Amino acid sequence: MSMRLQIWLIFLAPPVLLIALYALGLSIPVPHLGRDYVVKIALPEAGDPVGLPKVHGPPDRSRPLVLIDPGHGGKDPGASAANYREKDIALALALALRDRLIADGGVRVALTREDDTFLVLEERPEIARRMNADLFVSIHADSAGEASEASGASIYTLSAQASSEAAARFAERENSADRLNGVRIEGQSADVSAILVELSQRRVQESSAEFARLVVREGEGALVFHPRPRRSAALAVLRAPDVPAVLYEAGFITNPTDAARLTSPESRNRFAEVMARAIRIYFARQAGA
């Protein structure tokens, strides 16, 4: 038998066999192994809000609420270098700050995540808004790529241009909201709503800048800052128009000295002490304003 004929038989045999079985009214039994195995995953309805985190501290709702946001988490590790991952460093710093604030008393504290949970970026400031947080502190660790000599912490507030753009988008999307920073905007015209949101955003950015200055002042001599520690940028987590917010870059994970410092218990405690002190001073000033 020629090679060509053998190839033709290989290709034609299966369909010929199936045709013959069909003509005779027969069938080939299909194994049932695994046919009843079904994986079911419960998914939230589209648009469902994320659940709100637990609030620690005094049950008195008149006490100010700080929402601490450890950056990244879950499937998003953030920056990585050697055996360090940004999501782990951010969570450890956030937990240290939570514990210090609870020990000092006087404020309520919540975290956007207290474990290795993934959160969509836009969910984080929305949690702050839904909880009526008085201050939002997002914690990260920076990366400098090949420039491993870059070091030191930085604290970001929303840039002026990004603040105005965020206010305009919020006014367009939320002009039917009930209140914003205690001011009723429901039923207002689109122009009036836009003005009220813009004014609210300006007050929030002034408060955010004040808190950033306090962190740098209180951290002098205790924390290692970048030569230019105060910065502004168009960061999504800082765009809430009614919650003062900062993003704290604790250092450069790509710098071995910074990475070792960020993961030491002593440095975490110093960070928590400085940040907690700045938070207490900030709220004391707000109460006296």
Side-chain angles (χ1 to χ4, degrees), residues 126-192:
E126 185 59 25
I127 292 173
R129 296 200 68 242
R130 290 175 58 207
M131 297 185 73
N132 295 316
D134 298 284
L135 182 64
F136 178 82
V137 180
S138 189
I139 300 175
H140 291 254
D142 217 336
S143 171
E146 297 298 324
S148 60
E149 70 279 359
S151 67
S154 303
I155 187 161
Y156 285 82
T157 53
L158 191 64
S159 64
Q161 180 179 352
S163 176
S164 296
E165 292 172 354
R169 284 197 299 272
F170 184 87
E172 182 179 358
R173 186 179 72 250
E174 302 285 350
N175 60 5
S176 62
D178 183 22
R179 285 182 179 272
L180 183 69
N181 246 346
V183 178
R184 178 173 290 277
I185 64 174
E186 183 183 20
Q188 303 284 358
S189 68
D191 289 341
V192 172

Side-chain angles (χ1 to χ4, degrees), residues 4-38:
R4 178 174 296 181
L5 181 58
Q6 292 180 39
I7 294 173
W8 274 106
L9 288 175
I10 290 172
F11 281 101
L12 292 176
V16 169
L17 176 61
L18 291 175
I19 292 171
L21 290 172
Y22 179 78
L24 296 173
L26 302 174
S27 62
I28 298 176
V30 178
H32 283 264
L33 180 63
R35 293 177 66 184
D36 296 328
Y37 182 75
V38 178

Side-chain angles (χ1 to χ4, degrees), residues 45-274:
E45 294 294 328
D48 275 4
V50 65
L52 296 180
K54 177 182 178 181
V55 177
H56 303 272
D60 183 359
R61 294 178 64 87
S62 68
R63 300 296 180 91
L65 172 63
V66 181
L67 182 62
I68 306 169
D69 173 47
H72 307 280
K75 64 181 181 181
D76 175 18
S80 299
N83 295 321
Y84 304 113
R85 297 184 300 183
E86 181 180 359
K87 68 175 184 177
D88 300 328
I89 291 174
L91 181 58
L93 290 170
L95 293 173
L97 177 56
R98 178 202 65 185
D99 294 344
R100 183 57 187 250
L101 288 170
I102 293 173
D104 290 344
V107 299
R108 296 177 296 143
V109 189
L111 274 70
T112 54
R113 67 179 182 95
E114 296 192 10
D115 53 23
D116 192 19
T117 299
F118 172 75
L119 288 173
V120 176
L121 187 62
E122 289 76 12
E123 290 177 339
R124 300 169 187 262
E126 185 59 25
I127 292 173
R129 296 200 68 242
R130 290 175 58 207
M131 297 185 73
N132 295 316
D134 298 284
L135 182 64
F136 178 82
V137 180
S138 189
I139 300 175
H140 291 254
D142 217 336
S143 171
E146 297 298 324
S148 60
E149 70 279 359
S151 67
S154 303
I155 187 161
Y156 285 82
T157 53
L158 191 64
S159 64
Q161 180 179 352
S163 176
S164 296
E165 292 172 354
R169 284 197 299 272
F170 184 87
E172 182 179 358
R173 186 179 72 250
E174 302 285 350
N175 60 5
S176 62
D178 183 22
R179 285 182 179 272
L180 183 69
N181 246 346
V183 178
R184 178 173 290 277
I185 64 174
E186 183 183 20
Q188 303 284 358
S189 68
D191 289 341
V192 172
S193 292
I195 293 171
L196 292 174
V197 172
E198 179 75 25
L199 291 174
S200 174
Q201 187 92 43
R202 287 181 187 176
R203 288 196 297 270
V204 163
Q205 292 313 308
E206 289 171 1
S207 298
S208 302
E210 179 185 358
F211 178 67
R213 287 192 293 269
L214 283 172
V215 172
V216 174
R217 189 192 77 179
E218 296 303 312
E220 186 175 358
L223 302 178
V224 179
F225 285 108
H226 187 271
R228 189 166 62 91
R230 287 283 315 283
R231 304 187 182 199
S232 62
L235 301 172
V237 294
L238 304 180
R239 292 175 184 261
D242 47 359
V243 181
V246 300
L247 185 145
Y248 181 80
E249 291 279 7
F252 287 83
I253 197 172
T254 46
N255 182 305
T257 303
D258 268 18
R261 174 174 50 81
L262 291 172
T263 53
S264 75
E266 295 80 7
S267 293
R268 283 198 297 267
N269 290 336
R270 281 197 299 273
F271 158 78
E273 179 182 355
V274 166

